[in-house]
Amino acid sequence: MKRLIVVFLGVFSAFVYASPEWVNGEVVRIDQSRSRIVLKHEYIPSIKMAPMTMPFGVVKEIPLDQYRPGDKVRFQIKVVDGTLDITTMEKLK
C-alpha cells in the first residue's frame, strides 16, 4: 500500500507543484519534533486522493505551536521525494 501511494504521488507531483490548491482539513495530532502534522482532509482533486486522515510533513516556516487538535484549517501541498508536504496552512474560523 505504501509503495502504491509513493508511485501515485510521484506521477502527480509535477501537477501539484504547478497549481497549488487549497484543501480543507482538521488537525488530529501534531509532532513538532519531526515537523509533522496529522490531518483529516477532504478530497484533493489535483492528485485524486480520497478524503482520509494522514500525516503530512510541514515546512519550517509554519509555526506548528499555533495549532491544536480539532482546529479547522486549509492548506496547500507539494510532493517532495514521494511525500506530501504542507507549504502553507491557515486556521479557518
Side-chain angles (χ1 to χ4, degrees):
M1 178 69 172
K2 220 178 204 185
R3 188 176 240 166
L4 178 62
I5 291 173
V6 169
V7 170
F8 181 75
L9 293 176
V11 169
F12 292 101
S13 64
F15 184 73
V16 172
Y17 183 75
S19 61
E21 63 191 321
W22 287 101
V23 180
N24 292 322
E26 180 180 335
V27 176
V28 174
R29 186 174 50 245
I30 299 167
D31 183 351
Q32 288 186 345
S33 64
R34 295 177 58 205
S35 295
R36 297 190 64 76
I37 190 167
V38 176
L39 297 174
K40 180 178 179 182
H41 67 79
E42 66 182 11
Y43 177 72
I44 304 175
S46 63
I47 58 174
K48 299 180 182 165
M49 181 176 279
M52 66 179 75
T53 300
M54 62 178 284
F56 292 89
V58 180
V59 296
K60 294 180 228 173
E61 294 79 19
I62 296 176
L64 287 177
D65 60 342
Q66 294 182 6
Y67 297 93
R68 300 284 178 261
D71 285 348
K72 305 288 187 206
V73 296
R74 72 179 194 149
F75 59 97
Q76 292 180 320
I77 57 170
K78 71 175 180 176
V79 179
V80 178
D81 296 328
T83 62
L84 290 173
D85 286 348
I86 295 176
T87 58
T88 308
M89 186 166 66
E90 58 187 39
K91 285 185 188 182
L92 296 174
K93 296 182 182 197

